Amino acid sequence: MIEIKNLSHQFGPRLILDNINLNVPVGKVATIMGSSGGGKTTLLKCVSRLLTPTNGEITVDGLNAIEDPEGTRRKMGMVFQSAALFDFMTVTENVLFGVRRHKTEKEKSEKDLVAEVLEDVGLTPDAGKLMPSELSGGMRKRVGIARAIALRPKVMLYDEPTTGLDPVTTYVIDELMVRLARTQGITTLIVSHDVSSVLRVSDQIAFLTGGKLVFDGTPADFETSTQPEIQEIIQKSRATEFVLTH
Ligand SMILES: Nc1ncnc2c1ncn2[C@@H]1O[C@H](COP(=O)(O)OP(=O)(O)O)[C@@H](O)[C@H]1O
Ligand SMILES: [Mg+2]
């Protein structure tokens, strides 16, 4: 579960997040939409405690995230848009990177763990030997997700996980994020611009604009929202022709 209460964040004098309240129940998938530069990544960084918010409370899986940033990060897997794989390491070494840094006791052999998480993301153990340069964009994403879930997180954060992927690969990654939430009970928070993706993956959609959350509801509520900025993105994402005015 993720609970965000009265969260505000300023970079210098600029108020980027303005009194945000958002709850994501255990095992549910919530998506944050909103314009570029609107503070979505900043919100994920506050939740993952890469940033200390100016104000507010955050609880992650019962833990006070403001007081315990280290503990919070241990409960969490993150897939950031730019979070590239290490090009000089094999897939296996990439997957084990976080595990080797964080885990103190070894419950399982590394080989078994790698095979298990690769299977979780739809890859065979053979993929472990490959170098990142040998992987397609979709496979790279899967390996990034495998690296994050190897720590068996309670919460997963994904920042624009399908930006730049083709529609078929996008579908596969969408299905994977939802499957991990459903089968492993991972509470999931995704930032995305892709309306068709968002409507099919989300239990809950939040819309961030001008630093405020102006919508928080189901996909059905989102589609029928009368809020102009929400209507605009739904209409434009579905538009099949232009209205040329000049
Ligand atoms: N470390 C930082 N210092 C100062 N300003 C920042 C920093 N990170 C982000 N910003 C600014 O905060 C705003 C929100 O950024 P961001 O959260 O990345 O937006 P989004 O992910 O919605 O595109 C932007 O105007 C950005 O320039
Ligand atoms: Mg961003």
Side-chain angles (χ1 to χ4, degrees):
M1 175 200 42
I2 305 169
E3 282 180 331
I4 299 170
K5 260 167 93 177
N6 305 324
L7 178 75
S8 296
H9 191 65
Q10 275 175 252
F11 284 120
R14 292 183 56 214
L15 186 60
I16 305 295
L17 298 173
D18 186 2
N19 202 35
I20 305 289
N21 288 282
L22 181 71
N23 288 335
V24 188
V26 174
K28 297 294 182 192
V29 178
T31 311
I32 301 169
M33 298 198 81
S35 49
S36 286
K40 303 178 300 299
T41 296
T42 303
L43 179 57
L44 289 191
K45 285 185 176 168
C46 288
V47 173
S48 59
R49 293 298 277 105
L50 298 172
L51 268 178
T52 299
T54 315
N55 262 304
E57 295 164 35
I58 302 172
T59 309
V60 175
D61 188 39
L63 197 68
N64 182 327
I66 303 300
E67 285 175 359
D68 189 354
E70 286 275 313
T72 303
R73 279 195 294 269
R74 271 200 296 275
K75 288 182 179 291
M76 212 163 294
M78 289 169 264
V79 179
F80 284 109
Q81 193 187 347
S82 56
L85 303 174
F86 299 107
D87 283 327
F88 55 90
M89 291 182 188
T90 64
V91 166
T92 293
E93 287 163 347
N94 268 285
V95 168
L96 289 172
F97 183 77
V99 177
R100 286 178 173 159
R101 284 181 63 197
H102 288 280
K103 277 267 156 71
T104 41
E105 54 187 295
K106 298 232 173 5
E107 301 138 25
K108 217 171 251 171
S109 82
E110 288 188 339
K111 189 163 166 268
D112 289 348
L113 178 68
V114 170
E116 190 179 299
V117 293
L118 288 180
E119 189 185 344
D120 283 346
V121 300
L123 297 174
T124 60
D126 301 350
K129 296 189 213 82
L130 299 175
M131 297 303 285
S133 59
E134 299 175 273
L135 307 177
S136 65
M139 277 175 88
R140 282 170 164 262
K141 279 287 165 190
R142 288 186 209 234
V143 175
I145 296 171
R147 180 170 64 186
I149 63 166
L151 289 155
R152 294 294 170 219
K154 302 278 189 193
V155 169
M156 280 291 287
L157 305 180
Y158 300 90
D159 197 353
E160 302 192 25
T162 59
T163 299
L165 298 180
D166 66 76
V168 174
T169 310
T170 295
Y171 180 94
V172 171
I173 299 298
D174 283 349
E175 194 267 341
L176 174 57
M177 294 187 293
V178 172
R179 184 154 46 80
L180 292 171
R182 299 278 185 267
T183 61
Q184 303 190 12
I186 300 175
T187 308
T188 299
L189 190 55
I190 303 170
V191 166
S192 176
H193 292 292
D194 182 336
V195 175
S196 49
S197 235
V198 165
L199 289 174
R200 69 186 171 210
V201 302
S202 308
D203 296 304
Q204 179 182 356
I205 300 174
F207 194 84
L208 187 65
T209 185
K212 293 185 197 289
L213 264 200
V214 296
F215 176 90
D216 178 6
T218 63
D221 293 339
F222 187 77
E223 278 186 284
T224 54
S225 168
T226 54
Q227 284 176 255
E229 54 273 79
I230 295 177
Q231 283 193 340
E232 185 186 17
I233 62 163
I234 289 178
Q235 277 162 11
K236 291 196 170 149
S237 73
R238 289 180 180 160
T240 53
E241 55 186 23
F242 299 108
V243 181
L244 297 175
T245 49
H246 307 286

